[in-house]
């Protein structure tokens, strides 16, 4: 089994090394990750400048681009054969509910899924990688399960792992994305030249986090696995919009 590993925290992040190590027990691993922390990069591709590919001493390949750049270049120019699976992470912090839209971790996996490769994004709930070993064990268990019982069609899974020792994790369950409150206000500061500068505020608290959601599962001590799709069409709203477009003032 050929496994491509990437992330959005950059090629030096402890979560990437932990995930790559966990995957080595299961197949032939290639790591292609961003040079810099690209959290929040979403699905952006770098189109305004060329990209450089470098080798780290530990064998990881890093690119001065986004997570999507890394997987895109790996699939279209670096790898001799398409991987059987793409895994991304383990992210330094959760990617649940509306975070999923902004996440570079999810985007790296999604880039693979767009090329028809099954892909899994892994995130550890709290920042700081306290229980990254347990999270890596969960990642290995999930991929092992996939190898033993493959899902027939390509899939994109968003996995969020509580920051707990392995023994305290209660299980692994399927969830839907919850929703968040709007993010906290922007932080305004003054730079040394007296100009105003702004920091994007923190993500909002969970707004829809009831049973069945990723928020609820992880708060209850379970690993949350949400299958994602890319089609953004709001099929339920299509008839109303079509009707609105067809209507003429009389
Ligand atoms: Mn990140």
């Amino acid at each position: 089994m050929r496994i491509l590993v990437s992330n959005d925290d950059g090629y030096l992040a402890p979560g990437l090394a932990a995930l790559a190590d966990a995957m080595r027990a299961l197949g032939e691993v290639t790591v292609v990750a961003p040079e810099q922390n690209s959290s929040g990069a979403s699905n952006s591709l770098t189109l305004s400048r060329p990209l450089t590919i470098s080798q780290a001493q530990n064998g990881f390949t890093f690119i001065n681009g986004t997570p999507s750049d890394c997987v895109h270049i790996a699939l279209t120019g670096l790898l001799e054969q398409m991987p059987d699976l793409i895994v991304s992470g383990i992210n330094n912090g959760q990617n649940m509910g509306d975070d999923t839209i902004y996440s570079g971790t999810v985007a790296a996996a999604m880039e693979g899924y767009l090329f028809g490769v099954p892909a899994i994004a892994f995130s550890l709930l709290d920042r700081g990688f306290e229980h990254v070993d347990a999270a890596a064990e969960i990642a290995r268990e999930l991929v092992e399960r996939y190898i033993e019982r493959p899902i027939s069609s390509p899939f994109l899974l968003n996995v969020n792992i509580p920051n707990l020792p392995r023994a305290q994790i209660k299980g692994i369950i399927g969830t839907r994305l919850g929703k968040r409150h709007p993010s906290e206000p922007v932080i305004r500061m003054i730079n040394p030249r007296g100009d105003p500068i702004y920091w994007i505020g923190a993500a909002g608290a969970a707004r829809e986090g009831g049973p069945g959601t990723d928020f609820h599962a992880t708060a209850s001590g379970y690993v949350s696995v949400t299958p994602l799709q890319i089609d953004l069409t709001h099929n339920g709203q299509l008839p109303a919009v079509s009707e609105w477009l067809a209507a003429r003032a009389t």
Side-chain angles (χ1 to χ4, degrees):
M1 167 152 245
R2 289 179 299 273
I3 306 172
L4 174 64
V5 182
S6 192
N7 77 346
D8 79 351
D9 294 329
Y11 77 104
L12 295 173
L16 181 70
L19 185 57
D21 282 347
M23 294 301 111
R24 265 190 210 104
L26 306 172
E28 183 191 317
V29 170
T30 307
V31 178
V32 183
E35 181 171 19
Q36 308 261 330
N37 188 334
S38 314
S39 297
S42 194
N43 298 90
S44 54
L45 288 172
T46 302
L47 305 177
S48 55
R49 59 179 172 85
L51 296 162
T52 309
I53 294 168
S54 312
Q55 293 296 328
Q57 271 196 338
N58 65 358
F60 290 4
T61 298
F62 61 94
I63 296 180
N64 58 346
T66 66
S68 296
D69 289 333
C70 291
V71 173
H72 193 99
I73 289 174
L75 296 184
T76 58
L78 281 183
L79 298 175
E80 280 169 20
Q81 280 179 297
M82 285 296 260
D84 302 299
L85 180 72
I86 295 180
V87 293
S88 173
I90 298 167
N91 190 55
N92 188 18
Q94 58 187 262
N95 280 305
M96 302 196 291
D98 308 318
D99 301 345
T100 309
I101 295 285
Y102 299 99
S103 168
T105 306
V106 173
M110 196 180 287
E111 190 67 17
Y113 180 68
L114 282 166
F115 279 87
V117 182
I120 312 177
F122 293 98
S123 302
L124 184 54
L125 241 65
D126 302 324
R127 292 175 57 82
F129 296 116
E130 187 188 357
H131 291 295
V132 72
D133 292 351
E137 217 175 301
I138 294 285
R140 186 177 51 72
E141 286 171 34
L142 258 174
V143 172
E144 238 167 24
R145 187 179 306 208
Y146 169 63
I147 292 169
E148 282 162 18
R149 288 190 57 202
I151 307 176
S152 54
S153 48
F155 53 81
L156 173 59
L157 301 181
N158 183 34
V159 178
N160 282 274
I161 305 166
N163 186 34
L164 294 170
R166 180 66 189 88
Q168 285 176 37
I169 293 177
K170 290 185 186 149
I172 306 178
I173 55 176
T175 59
R176 61 189 159 82
L177 298 180
K179 290 189 169 51
R180 282 194 188 279
H181 283 286
S183 69
E184 300 293 323
V186 72
I187 312 275
R188 185 179 188 274
M189 302 172 94
I190 302 294
N191 78 4
R193 266 86 51 203
D195 307 315
I197 54 170
Y198 296 86
W199 281 102
I200 297 287
R207 175 159 55 90
E208 208 274 275
T213 65
D214 44 6
F215 292 113
H216 192 270
T218 51
S220 314
Y222 289 89
V223 175
S224 159
V225 178
T226 309
L228 301 180
Q229 60 182 356
I230 295 174
D231 182 357
L232 295 177
T233 308
H234 192 325
N235 285 297
Q237 214 166 53
L238 182 55
V241 169
S242 299
E243 199 179 314
W244 171 71
L245 291 169
R248 299 273 193 287
T250 50

